[in-house]
Amino acid sequence: DVLVRPGTISRSGYCDDPIVIVEVLSPSTEKKDLVWKRGYYASLPAVQHYLIISQDEVLVRHHTRKGNWRARKLSSPSDVIELTAIDAALRLSDIYRGTGLV
């Protein structure tokens, strides 16, 4: 899992102002990531992008504040995720490189 935030992280390791959050989905956390965490992250004003990455197939759910937190599902290796809040883009083929899924 990854997060992007301004500045440095506190000594406690807690962060309440991430801009981008990336979670790798696993069977044991699927419901938590898809329902509870999405709602929690939507409640944090700084969060602009929440990505949920499947580890079993090429599938990324991209939730954005601008998109009213509805998931945009991307499943083609050539699909590109635009992270406008940090002026970056990720191609699914790069995310899944070395996994054997692309």
Side-chain angles (χ1 to χ4, degrees):
D1 299 342
V2 175
L3 68 83
V4 177
R5 70 173 300 272
T8 59
I9 199 154
S10 71
R11 287 185 179 186
S12 71
Y14 178 76
C15 173
D16 64 357
D17 63 347
I19 299 168
V20 177
I21 299 172
V22 180
E23 301 264 4
V24 177
L25 194 61
S26 68
S28 64
T29 64
E30 184 171 0
K31 186 173 183 176
K32 184 177 176 181
D33 291 340
L34 293 175
V35 179
W36 182 85
K37 282 187 177 181
R38 185 185 74 71
Y40 173 69
Y41 293 147
S43 76
L44 298 175
V47 178
Q48 301 300 309
H49 302 274
Y50 176 41
L51 303 175
I52 303 171
I53 299 176
S54 174
Q55 64 176 315
D56 300 323
E57 63 180 318
V58 176
L59 176 63
V60 176
R61 292 170 179 90
H62 181 200
H63 300 269
T64 63
R65 183 163 302 283
K66 287 183 180 179
N68 202 26
W69 295 109
R70 282 186 226 116
R72 177 178 171 228
K73 294 181 181 181
L74 302 111
S75 58
S76 171
S78 63
D79 286 342
V80 176
I81 300 167
E82 298 290 338
L83 301 172
T84 56
I86 60 169
D87 195 27
L90 297 171
R91 187 174 305 278
L92 266 61
S93 60
D94 292 330
I95 292 172
Y96 285 95
R97 183 182 304 137
T99 65
L101 295 172
V102 292

